[in-house]
Amino acid sequence: MIAVQGVTGKTIGVLGLGRSGLATVAALKDGGAHVIVWDDSPTAADTANGAGVDLRDLTKEGAFEGVDALITSPGIPHLYPEPHPAIEAALRVGVPVDNDIGLFFRSFATQDWDNFDTMPKVIAVTGSNGKSTTSALIHHILEEAGRPAQLAGNIGRGVLDLDPAHDGEVVVLELSSYQTELARALTPDVTVLTNLSPDHLDRHAGFGGYVAAKRRLFAEGGPDRAVVGVDEVEGRYFANQLTEGPGDDRVIRVSSGQKLDRAPWSVFARKGFLSEYRKGRQVASIDLRKIAGLPGAHNHQNACAAYAACRAIGLGPRVIETALHSFAGLPHRSQLIAEKNGVRFVNDSKATNVDSAAKALAAFDNIRWICGGLEKEGGLDALLPAPSVRKAYVIGREAAAFAMKLKGLDVEVCTDMATAVSRAAEDAQSGDTVLLAPAAASFDQYDSFEKRGDDFIAQVSGL
């Protein structure tokens, strides 16, 4: 656990008692704070009692009397579409609002570090798509290279649930826009931007607000190195903002498809090969086509970002290449579930938006596409004409409406996962891929994209 510093004797409110909220409560108590909590859940009293803290309705008049700060869970809106009533109350009376990411960055370094030979480092990864795979891949490479490492944030453990740092350790954090937007302290050593596409627009009042939330990690974090995907104009803008001049190699530009041989330092993938260039000269190359855990151009982009981050902290190209080959991939992200009679079944339930679904569709040929769910803003036009799709099998409560937007495709309305998997398997021929890449959120039928992917796995296993 990371004990929060600077809170001894203070009264700190915690809003939200999920995974990160409970870890925050424990870390604040360990730091000497008096903690009060509030959660809208009807089981909040039992949860608070189990955590050994006081429950106080922070939405009521006068609830912030004597409270020094409010720490909110990332999923709770603090600005758009409108602040949670407890946060609105804190804003009105001037109580500082922060989150666990801010607490982590101001508490991670301790006096024990004075005795370390090698200072610990933090690599922070953000982006619209691929950040979980990139974060897990960086962590995997570090472990395979023998470097002590921990993985946390939007993947795995809560940041304050991490163990105190060891000599030379590297902490890899996956950070969402919800986390970067509010954190009062952001000081990673290396930052990574995978890519940017419209997402969470209601939470950020549009794409501009979403981009600004991501940008805070780079502009306010002051990293020693920044790994930036430059396939979108926003990424090129980020890289430009962080660069002092043509020879500045503190920014490592990353691309999937573009040859970046003029930048001071770049890593890119073309035709299945990763290339690293420094000052106009190629210094390393890796054949990504044989790496089973990283299929498709989108995963090649993730490999480039992870490679660049590990190079930024001094790992050698051959060490990284060896580790790439042993990476098994993440559940629900281009995950090969089964192969029978020449038909592959692939679970990419994490493809919750149009951009990530498009990348999944581009990674395979002859696709029997299972899609649908709670559609996000922006429509589905960016997915079309989808030449690799032989037929779409649509699930979700609004499956018929979703199907009507897939113009030019052979479409079957299935509504539920069991029907979609059964029909796709019946139609599939040798060489086809039955791909779950919903291009939509899961909440119309499932609690999470993980639950949706688990259902797909169960239906495939039952064939």
Side-chain angles (χ1 to χ4, degrees):
M1 180 188 302
I2 306 295
V4 178
Q5 299 183 38
V7 295
T8 302
K10 295 184 177 181
T11 297
I12 310 296
V14 174
L15 179 62
L17 293 175
R19 183 193 66 170
S20 65
L22 289 173
T24 299
V25 167
L28 286 166
K29 289 176 65 179
D30 203 39
H34 170 60
V35 181
I36 60 173
V37 300
W38 178 246
D39 191 295
D40 297 324
S41 167
T43 61
D46 293 337
T47 305
N49 185 56
V53 291
D54 298 329
L55 184 70
R56 182 189 299 183
D57 188 344
L58 295 174
T59 66
K60 290 187 175 180
E61 186 72 26
F64 281 94
E65 188 70 33
V67 176
D68 295 290
L70 176 66
I71 311 302
T72 180
S73 294
I76 300 174
H78 61 271
L79 188 57
Y80 302 113
E82 60 181 348
H84 184 279
I87 296 178
E88 174 65 23
L91 297 177
R92 286 185 181 279
V93 298
V95 171
V97 181
D98 202 351
N99 62 17
D100 60 337
I101 305 301
L103 296 183
F104 168 83
F105 276 113
R106 81 182 202 204
S107 304
F108 185 51
T110 67
Q111 290 183 343
D112 293 340
W113 291 24
D114 294 340
N115 301 316
F116 290 168
D117 293 326
T118 303
M119 289 296 101
K121 292 185 180 296
V122 176
I123 298 175
V125 181
T126 195
S128 298
N129 300 303
K131 57 183 179 293
S132 293
T133 298
T134 300
S135 300
L137 182 54
I138 294 170
H139 181 252
H140 173 78
I141 294 168
L142 291 168
E143 287 194 320
E144 291 295 298
R147 291 286 295 270
Q150 297 186 75
L151 176 65
N154 209 40
I155 183 174
R157 305 161 73 181
V159 292
L160 295 174
D161 196 35
L162 288 169
D163 299 324
H166 295 92
D167 193 334
E169 186 167 49
V170 181
V171 169
V172 185
L173 300 181
E174 180 197 336
L175 300 181
S176 71
S177 58
Y178 292 8
Q179 294 167 311
T180 59
E181 184 179 42
L182 185 62
R184 286 175 167 250
L186 287 168
T187 55
D189 299 282
V190 178
T191 55
V192 180
L193 176 73
T194 57
N195 49 62
L196 279 171
S197 61
D199 206 358
H200 307 304
L201 301 187
D202 58 336
R203 176 65 181 262
H204 300 293
F207 190 46
Y210 175 65
V211 171
K214 298 288 191 184
R215 184 178 180 273
R216 291 191 74 241
L217 184 62
F218 297 81
E220 299 184 29
D224 297 329
R225 297 276 186 190
V227 176
V228 181
V230 295
D231 287 335
E232 298 87 27
V233 65
E234 293 83 8
R236 294 191 288 275
Y237 173 72
F238 279 28
N240 184 272
Q241 288 276 293
L242 295 166
T243 301
E244 294 296 330
D248 188 355
D249 66 356
R250 292 175 300 169
V251 178
I252 307 176
R253 290 165 172 82
V254 167
S255 173
S256 175
Q258 298 183 67
K259 185 175 182 180
L260 304 175
D261 56 352
R262 296 184 179 181
W265 196 352
S266 63
V267 179
F268 58 89
R270 294 183 74 213
K271 299 180 180 179
F273 285 85
L274 178 153
S275 297
E276 178 187 2
Y277 273 72
R278 298 195 72 170
K279 297 180 179 178
R281 298 181 61 184
Q282 185 172 356
V283 297
S285 177
I286 299 173
D287 186 352
L288 299 174
R289 298 171 300 175
K290 301 177 182 179
I291 301 177
L294 296 166
H298 62 304
N299 275 312
H300 292 174
Q301 183 186 54
N302 298 335
C304 288
Y307 175 96
C310 292
R311 290 287 284 139
I313 60 171
L315 269 62
R318 297 286 77 84
V319 171
I320 300 172
E321 180 178 8
T322 300
L324 290 177
H325 281 276
S326 59
F327 182 65
L330 287 180
H332 313 297
R333 297 160 176 87
S334 297
Q335 178 188 14
L336 180 62
I337 301 302
E339 186 168 353
K340 184 177 181 180
N341 298 328
V343 178
R344 292 182 295 178
F345 295 83
V346 176
N347 168 27
D348 203 335
S349 184
K350 185 61 171 67
T352 59
N353 59 40
V354 166
D355 186 65
S356 56
K359 288 180 170 62
L361 294 177
F364 304 97
D365 297 318
N366 304 321
I367 296 171
R368 304 286 175 175
W369 179 28
I370 299 177
C371 58
L374 192 62
E375 187 181 343
K376 295 185 176 181
E377 293 184 33
L380 304 175
D381 289 349
L383 290 167
L384 304 174
S388 61
V389 174
R390 303 188 74 171
K391 186 175 179 179
Y393 306 80
V394 185
I395 62 174
R397 292 181 184 173
E398 303 295 331
F402 195 99
M404 289 180 65
K405 298 178 182 180
L406 300 177
K407 296 179 177 63
L409 295 183
D410 184 8
V411 177
E412 182 173 338
V413 175
C414 298
T415 306
D416 60 82
M417 186 70 74
T419 303
V421 171
S422 176
R423 291 292 302 121
E426 288 174 9
D427 292 344
Q429 304 171 12
S430 179
D432 286 357
T433 296
V434 177
L435 171 67
L436 172 65
S442 61
F443 303 121
D444 60 332
Q445 291 183 309
Y446 302 93
D447 291 338
S448 65
F449 73 83
E450 292 96 341
K451 294 291 186 183
R452 177 171 58 191
D454 289 342
D455 190 13
F456 175 77
I457 294 170
Q459 300 304 327
V460 171
S461 299
L463 288 174

